[in-house]
């Protein structure tokens, strides 16, 4: 079962000192940069309030905003495809690549394409899919999924990357980071010009402009969207914002929360395919609006706030659980607190309910979220839902039932001798791993009630 595998992998990673050293080092650099970046805000809390309000407003009328986006985007020659799930999205992409007789696809960093497993699908169709983001390219070479929403190769050191390049690309060993970057850049450059199709995600869908905004630091999305004759943007339906003017709020919130930058290096707004008189850009641009479980969340008013997420990755960087067990342990596209909240709804509550329990409920994630998603509260709601729908383990249901009965019949606890209570408690805690690295709990011979009775009884 996925829950058992998660517990096993979590324990392995939590006690892997080298892994923890790398994550502490890399997240530490982000923490320092974000701390500096936040000082550039005059009224950061007000910006968070505005961001949360705008995203919440959109979710209340999501259908209207999406239709507005579609009308404005198609008016400039673009095409919109609505995909209910991963299978529909992949089938449509298959038709588009087949029409272009595509042999090579260049991909910019996109969590939605990871969500639908696009690379695996294209490989099954005999199409080479090349990740052009450096971090994504490295993990693709190494046969891994992205480790982090913003930094796919956060778990790898410079030495690790050198080893991957030597193994898969036959390069000479080097400890020069610039040489490693130049090696990847040289190999990728020809891929852009050879590819028939470019695929990106989209950080924001702009309703009033009918446009897709993409944020990046390397410029690979621009190349992926410019050289190929077909540009496909796969974007979750929750990414829509009302106006082009709203980018002045969301671009800095996204970049500062995620990496500490005032604004990301490359921010591009795509309004559709190449227009008459324009000298570059694709002949055709298609936006695939992906549902894939998002309307499941939308239909639950108490959990709908999770769709406000702008994928900045800030909640991962502060989460004590994520920093100990790592991104791959979650075995989902989205890891960390936001992944634990949304994955059970996007990919199935029975298979992923355990993720909502992988939290200390410290609230750090909620504190840093730029759009005020109440992550720790949503984790509790997920736990509640899993119990209400009967997904709690039988042992847990029995244990809670016995505890409830004993609290309602307090006298019964005094009837049982301490050794029986010790045995029961030890068995219960042993099942959840409490006693594995801790001393067993021992029940006092006399309960508080018995002690009070003994010490305060009339002489």
């Amino acid at each position: 079962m996925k829950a058992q595998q998660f517990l096993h992998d979590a324990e392995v990673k939590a006690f892997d000192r080298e892994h923890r050293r790398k994550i502490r080092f890399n997240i530490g650099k982000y923490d320092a940069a974000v701390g500096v970046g936040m000082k550039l805000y005059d009224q950061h809390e007000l910006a968070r309030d505005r961001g949360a309000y705008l995203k919440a407003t959109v979710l209340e009328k999501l259908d209207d905003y999406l239709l507005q986006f579609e009308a404005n985007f198609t008016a400039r020659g673009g095409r919109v495809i609505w995909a209910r799930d991963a299978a529909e999205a992949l089938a449509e992409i298959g038709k588009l690549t087949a029409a272009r007789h595509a042999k090579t696809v260049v991909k910019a960093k996109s969590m939605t394409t990871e969500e639908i497993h696009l690379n695996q699908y294209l490989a099954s169709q005999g199409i080479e899919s090349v990740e052009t983001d450096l971090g994504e390219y490295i993990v693709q070479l190494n046969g891994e999924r992205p480790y982090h929403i913003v930094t796919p190769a956060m778990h790898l050191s410079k030495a690790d990357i050198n080893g991957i390049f030597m193994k898969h690309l036959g390069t000479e060993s080097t400890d020069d980071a610039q040489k490693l970057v130049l090696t990847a850049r040289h190999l990728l450059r020809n891929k852009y010009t050879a590819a028939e199709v470019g695929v990106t995600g989209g950080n924001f869908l702009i309703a009033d402009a009918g446009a897709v905004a993409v944020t990046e630091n390397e410029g690979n999305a621009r190349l992926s969207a410019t050289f190929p004759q077909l540009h496909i943007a796969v974007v979750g339906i929750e990414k829509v914002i009302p106006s082009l003017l709203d980018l002045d709020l969301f671009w800095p919130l996204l970049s500062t929360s995620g990496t500490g930058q005032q604004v990301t290096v490359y921010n591009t707004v795509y309004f559709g395919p190449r227009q008459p008189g324009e000298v570059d850009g694709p002949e055709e641009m298609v936006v695939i609006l992906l549902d894939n479980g998002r309307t499941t969340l939308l239909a639950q008013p108490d959990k709908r706030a999770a769709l406000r997420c702008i994928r900045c990755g800030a909640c991962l960087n502060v989460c004590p659980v994520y920093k100990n067990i790592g991104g791959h342990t979650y075995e989902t596209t989205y890891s960390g607190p936001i992944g634990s909240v949304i994955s059970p709804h996007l990919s199935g509550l029975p298979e992923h309910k355990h993720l909502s329990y992988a939290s200390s409920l410290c609230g750090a994630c909620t504190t840093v979220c730029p759009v005020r998603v109440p992550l720790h509260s949503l984790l509790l709601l997920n736990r509640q839902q899993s119990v209400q729908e009967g997904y709690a383990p039988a042992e847990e249901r029995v244990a809670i039932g016995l505890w409830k009965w004993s609290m309602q019949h307090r006298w019964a606890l005094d009837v049982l001798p301490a050794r029986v209570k010790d045995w029961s408690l030890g068995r219960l805690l042993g099942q959840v791993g409490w006693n594995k690295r801790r001393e067993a709990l021992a029940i006092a011979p006399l309960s508080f009630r018995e002690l009070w009775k003994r010490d305060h009884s009339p002489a």
Side-chain angles (χ1 to χ4, degrees):
M1 288 185 58
K2 288 192 175 184
Q4 294 171 335
Q5 186 64 44
F6 175 83
L7 291 173
H8 173 269
D9 293 346
E11 181 168 355
V12 170
K13 282 297 180 186
F15 290 92
D16 183 340
R17 292 188 178 182
E18 180 61 14
H19 169 262
R20 293 180 69 174
R21 181 192 68 79
K22 293 172 187 173
I23 299 310
R24 276 200 305 269
F25 175 77
N26 288 326
I27 288 184
K29 290 170 68 177
Y30 277 97
D31 287 345
V34 170
V36 173
M38 287 299 173
K39 293 177 183 177
L40 300 173
Y41 264 99
D42 183 39
Q43 298 185 62
H44 182 245
E45 294 306 308
L46 177 59
R48 294 177 70 202
D49 288 340
R50 288 181 60 204
Y53 172 77
L54 277 173
K55 290 291 287 183
T57 300
V58 167
L59 292 175
E60 292 300 319
K61 298 180 179 179
L62 186 58
D63 51 347
D64 292 338
Y65 281 107
L66 288 171
L67 290 172
Q68 184 185 1
F69 164 80
E70 180 181 34
N72 292 326
F73 183 71
T74 55
R76 291 176 59 86
R79 182 180 166 199
V80 172
I81 296 174
W82 300 72
R84 284 176 295 187
D85 52 29
E88 282 193 5
L90 292 174
E92 293 295 338
I93 293 172
K95 293 175 187 176
L96 292 167
T97 53
R100 290 275 172 178
H101 305 289
K103 300 296 181 186
T104 304
V105 169
V106 283
K107 273 181 77 257
K109 182 175 177 294
S110 164
M111 295 307 292
T112 46
T113 58
E114 293 290 340
E115 187 181 330
I116 64 175
H117 306 296
L118 179 58
N119 284 345
Q120 294 89 321
Y121 171 78
L122 292 174
S124 72
Q125 303 300 303
I127 299 172
E128 181 188 22
S129 178
V130 182
E131 295 287 355
T132 61
D133 174 89
L134 180 58
E136 288 273 1
Y137 180 64
I138 291 166
V139 297
Q140 184 185 33
L141 282 177
N142 210 34
E144 296 178 319
R145 68 169 75 226
Y147 182 93
H148 188 281
I149 290 175
V150 174
T151 317
M154 178 180 275
H155 61 301
L156 300 173
S157 66
K158 184 169 58 176
D160 294 330
I161 295 168
N162 176 50
I164 291 169
F165 278 18
M166 289 174 62
K167 177 180 178 181
H168 297 282
L169 302 178
T171 58
E172 294 182 2
S173 179
T174 180
D175 62 354
D176 187 333
Q178 289 229 338
K179 284 186 178 179
L180 293 170
V181 172
L182 288 172
T183 295
R185 183 179 295 173
H186 175 73
L187 290 169
L188 291 171
R189 185 63 63 174
N190 292 334
K191 298 294 183 182
Y192 293 117
T193 55
E196 297 85 1
V197 178
V199 177
T200 70
N203 295 92
F204 303 103
L205 296 168
I206 306 164
D208 71 349
V212 180
V214 175
T215 294
E216 52 170 335
N217 270 318
E218 298 172 17
N220 47 70
R222 284 189 181 180
L223 293 171
S224 298
T226 302
F227 280 111
Q229 295 304 301
L230 169 61
H231 173 199
I232 303 173
V234 185
V235 190
I237 57 174
E238 82 282 14
K239 291 297 187 72
V240 68
I241 59 176
S243 170
L244 191 65
L245 297 176
D246 295 324
L247 289 174
D248 81 325
L249 170 68
F250 285 110
W251 269 344
L253 272 178
L254 175 62
S255 57
T256 306
S257 300
T259 61
Q261 296 166 280
Q262 266 187 288
V263 70
T264 318
V265 178
Y266 296 95
N267 291 286
T268 312
V269 181
Y270 299 98
F271 291 88
R274 184 169 67 240
Q275 301 295 300
E278 293 181 346
V279 296
D280 59 14
E283 291 178 352
E284 183 182 7
M285 181 174 175
V286 178
V287 173
I288 296 180
L289 295 176
L290 182 67
D291 179 351
N292 206 36
R294 286 160 175 80
T295 49
T296 302
L297 265 176
L298 188 66
Q300 302 177 66
D302 58 342
K303 302 183 185 73
R304 187 179 296 164
L307 294 174
R308 298 205 301 251
C309 174
I310 57 175
R311 305 290 192 267
C312 67
C315 62
L316 282 70
N317 295 341
V318 300
C319 178
V321 174
Y322 179 89
K323 287 190 280 190
N324 276 280
I325 69 174
H328 290 154
T329 302
Y330 291 81
E331 284 293 328
T332 56
T333 303
Y334 307 103
S335 54
I338 187 61
S340 296
V341 167
I342 65 175
S343 295
H345 302 283
L346 301 185
S347 306
L349 186 61
E351 297 84 5
H352 296 99
K353 68 181 187 303
H354 61 280
L355 297 179
S356 297
Y357 292 84
S359 169
S360 65
L361 297 177
C362 64
C365 50
T366 300
T367 302
V368 300
C369 178
V371 287
R372 298 196 184 279
V373 177
L375 289 159
H376 67 291
S377 297
L378 296 175
L379 288 167
L380 284 173
L381 289 173
N382 278 0
R383 297 181 188 186
Q384 181 187 57
Q385 184 179 347
S386 69
V387 172
Q388 289 173 340
E389 296 185 9
Y391 297 127
E395 299 88 348
E396 180 181 308
R397 293 198 300 271
V398 170
I400 293 296
L402 289 172
W403 173 84
K404 180 181 178 182
W405 186 88
S406 65
M407 291 298 101
Q408 293 172 333
H409 303 81
R410 184 66 185 78
W411 57 267
L413 291 178
D414 294 340
V415 172
L416 295 173
R419 63 178 180 276
V420 175
K421 298 176 191 175
D422 284 343
W423 180 85
S424 302
L425 188 61
R427 183 173 176 80
L428 176 63
L429 294 179
Q431 289 180 347
V432 296
W434 177 270
N435 295 341
K436 191 168 187 179
R437 300 186 188 278
R438 302 175 180 88
E439 289 185 11
L441 297 179
I443 302 295
L446 296 176
S447 70
F448 177 81
R449 182 181 180 181
E450 290 170 323
L451 288 170
W452 183 273
K453 220 168 161 185
R454 184 193 70 188
D455 296 341
H456 295 80
S457 295

